[in-house]
Amino acid sequence: MTSINPNRPTPTFQPTTSTVPASRPASAPQTQVPPTQAPASQAATERNRDTFSPGAALRPTGRARVTTQGDNFVLEAQGQVGNRGSTPRGGVPTRLGPVSAGGSFGLQGSLRVEVPRQAATDAIRNGELPNPAAPETWPVGTRARAEVQGQAGFNVGLRAGPGRLGERLGLSTSYDRTQTQRYEVQRTSEDTVRATVTSQGRQQDATNIRGLEGRQDQRLGNTQSADFNIRTQEGRAAYDAFMRTGQLPRENGPGVSNVQRTDSLDQNREGRVLGQRVATSERHTTLGADGAGEQTVRQTDRNVAGSTQSTEMQVGADGNGRARTAINDSVVATTTTRPGQPAETSYELTFTDPNAAAIARGAFSNDDAAASNTAPFSVRLNEQQARALVERTMGQGLQGGQQALDRAFRTLSTGGQQTFATTLYNSTVDTRNPNAPRRALESSPAEAPAQPRPPAETAPMS
């Protein structure tokens, strides 16, 4: 099964290219080619141009259906094409057994334009779509959205015998993918046009070999937006470039503001044996960036044991960053990064369960009486202390890096706070000499609470 599976989110953004099938709406008028350009060069330019541009998608040929919805006139147009095929029911007999196969593809597109009723012209009322190449002619509040969705899939199966059991014990594979590309343009004021590009893809695949089955469902999304000041030369040039190419600016600049970008990836996997689910995992990743260079990464994943880990990382335009990783309900890792310096990571362990708090308090103290205190307990560890704790509880051989530490703490804390605390306490006891004094785990001093500022001195009134 194919997948996108980053081990840890990184605030690096790559350009996203359209994967919409080639059968697309009619393209926008081309700019005039200079007479000096050779015919062969002109043909190559035409072949390389992306025909699914906003200019083309937002102004198809013909007239649209017009309806009234609330305070808006709504113009809509759509079309679709597709096909499917499969082997006869029961499959095709072969020397290995009955083989079944099928496949399908489809393409559909739609356009929706909303125009404030009071500002609608007679041409718009008669179904003529506004010209996206002349946004200054659009009434303020006009919104246009063009969308194209493509689908393709196949499945192949080899039965091991009759009935449902024969199907499960056979060999099979399936794949289905949908891709949606959406352009939205809105005139938000006399000076500003906001453009948004959204790309959404979904891939589902499964493979079954002799009753052992793996399934995967992935959703990949990307949204970009920017505001263009069409009253300025730079803003209008940037808008025209977007109309031709479909690519939005990646940072703020003259005539361009409020640049935003968000990428997301949802992954769901499960394993089955003879149709019964035995393992699952989920992961959700979101990456965001703005035109000022600020970047944010959020990731959450859950496994079949119910263990969860979520990370939020922020990186500024100056390169300074901070990440917070919450592991289950008892561990939080904080990492600070600065340009040209190694990352600094600390861990905080928190036990709110009374019994777990008492046991954990005893693990970090040589005084056995500490284990009688059942109040909530928290302890801070630097990276060296965290590594020493993991090696004492799980054995030597821990790999370097924060990822290895995070995985170790996730394993230790999966069974709940009491199991986690008991494991910590047991690591302080010498199993070869139980009567020997315990060796408590090391920790860092707790951060002192912030002291209130003294009141500012005031000059006596004269």
Side-chain angles (χ1 to χ4, degrees):
M1 295 189 294
T2 58
S3 65
I4 305 171
N5 186 19
N7 289 327
R8 194 173 186 86
T10 55
T12 302
F13 300 96
Q14 301 295 331
T16 302
T17 57
S18 171
T19 57
V20 178
S23 212
R24 297 167 175 169
S27 60
Q30 298 297 298
T31 55
Q32 295 296 323
V33 179
T36 57
Q37 187 175 14
S41 177
Q42 180 179 353
T45 301
E46 180 65 21
R47 285 196 306 271
N48 294 331
R49 186 180 61 82
D50 183 5
T51 57
F52 188 64
S53 64
L58 293 169
R59 199 182 187 191
T61 57
R63 292 183 178 273
R65 182 173 64 93
V66 182
T67 59
T68 301
Q69 298 182 12
D71 295 331
N72 294 328
F73 275 103
V74 179
L75 298 84
E76 294 179 292
Q78 57 185 355
Q80 62 182 10
V81 63
N83 201 354
R84 65 177 60 244
S86 63
T87 55
R89 185 174 183 179
V92 177
T94 69
R95 295 174 58 183
L96 299 176
V99 174
S100 60
S104 64
F105 78 91
L107 177 70
Q108 60 183 3
S110 63
L111 172 66
R112 178 184 174 93
V113 181
E114 300 177 6
V115 183
R117 182 187 301 183
Q118 296 179 349
T121 63
D122 291 339
I124 291 175
R125 295 170 187 266
N126 291 327
E128 183 176 332
L129 295 165
N131 183 3
E136 66 277 358
T137 65
W138 289 24
V140 173
T142 299
R143 182 198 303 264
R145 185 180 68 182
E147 180 177 296
V148 169
Q149 183 180 78
Q151 178 272 334
F154 72 87
N155 62 83
V156 179
L158 174 64
R159 303 176 68 94
R164 191 169 184 83
L165 181 60
E167 180 180 352
R168 288 178 174 174
L169 291 177
L171 307 176
S172 65
T173 184
S174 63
Y175 173 90
D176 186 80
R177 180 175 177 82
T178 59
Q179 182 74 29
T180 301
Q181 188 80 2
R182 182 182 304 118
Y183 293 108
E184 184 171 308
V185 177
Q186 180 182 13
R187 190 173 187 188
T188 58
S189 69
E190 293 290 343
D191 299 333
T192 306
V193 171
R194 175 170 298 155
T196 304
V197 180
T198 302
S199 177
Q200 296 175 326
R202 183 178 185 182
Q203 177 180 308
Q204 297 172 288
D205 52 272
T207 300
N208 176 58
I209 302 176
R210 303 299 185 187
L212 302 179
E213 182 180 5
R215 297 184 180 185
Q216 182 173 246
D217 187 354
Q218 298 183 98
R219 299 171 187 261
L220 180 64
N222 168 261
T223 300
Q224 296 174 268
S225 62
D227 289 351
F228 299 94
N229 187 336
I230 57 175
R231 299 293 190 186
T232 66
Q233 182 177 356
E234 297 87 353
R236 182 54 188 266
Y239 175 82
D240 291 341
F242 163 67
M243 281 287 112
R244 291 192 307 270
T245 66
Q247 299 296 319
L248 286 171
R250 302 180 71 83
E251 58 185 21
N252 297 332
V256 179
S257 60
N258 295 328
V259 173
Q260 301 286 337
R261 178 183 175 103
T262 301
D263 295 277
S264 64
L265 174 63
D266 290 323
Q267 296 173 301
N268 293 274
R269 296 184 175 92
E270 68 177 45
R272 292 174 175 250
V273 176
L274 295 178
Q276 299 297 317
R277 186 171 59 184
V278 296
T280 60
S281 66
E282 303 173 7
R283 171 173 288 183
H284 175 74
T285 306
T286 302
L287 302 92
D290 61 23
E294 300 284 337
Q295 302 182 21
T296 303
V297 182
R298 295 181 177 90
Q299 185 177 86
T300 301
D301 63 78
R302 181 189 303 272
N303 62 21
V304 66
S307 171
T308 61
Q309 178 172 321
S310 60
T311 298
E312 180 171 343
M313 178 166 52
Q314 295 178 323
V315 180
D318 56 2
N320 291 317
R322 182 179 177 86
R324 183 182 185 275
T325 300
I327 304 172
N328 295 318
D329 63 346
S330 51
V331 182
V332 173
T334 302
T335 301
T336 303
T337 57
R338 299 178 180 86
Q341 299 182 24
E344 298 178 1
T345 302
S346 64
Y347 288 83
E348 182 174 357
L349 313 184
T350 301
F351 299 88
T352 55
D353 177 85
N355 292 333
I359 298 172
R361 187 176 275 107
F364 286 91
S365 173
N366 288 318
D367 183 5
D368 291 338
S372 61
N373 187 347
T374 60
F377 175 67
S378 295
V379 62
R380 295 182 66 251
L381 311 174
N382 58 35
E383 188 169 350
Q384 183 178 0
Q385 292 166 341
R387 188 169 298 276
L389 180 152
V390 169
E391 290 180 347
R392 286 178 60 177
T393 54
M394 301 183 67
Q396 301 291 327
L398 180 68
Q399 296 179 352
Q402 184 184 345
Q403 290 188 37
L405 275 174
D406 289 354
R407 287 193 296 267
F409 275 112
R410 187 170 182 179
T411 300
L412 288 170
S413 59
T414 293
Q417 291 189 6
Q418 288 199 41
T419 301
F420 185 20
T422 301
T423 301
L424 298 180
Y425 187 88
N426 290 341
S427 70
T428 68
V429 178
D430 187 347
T431 56
R432 292 173 297 184
N433 186 10
N435 294 325
R438 290 189 306 106
R439 187 162 58 96
L441 297 169
E442 295 184 357
S443 63
S444 299
E447 293 182 346
Q451 298 296 325
R453 294 181 179 181
E457 295 183 3
T458 57
M461 298 181 61
S462 57

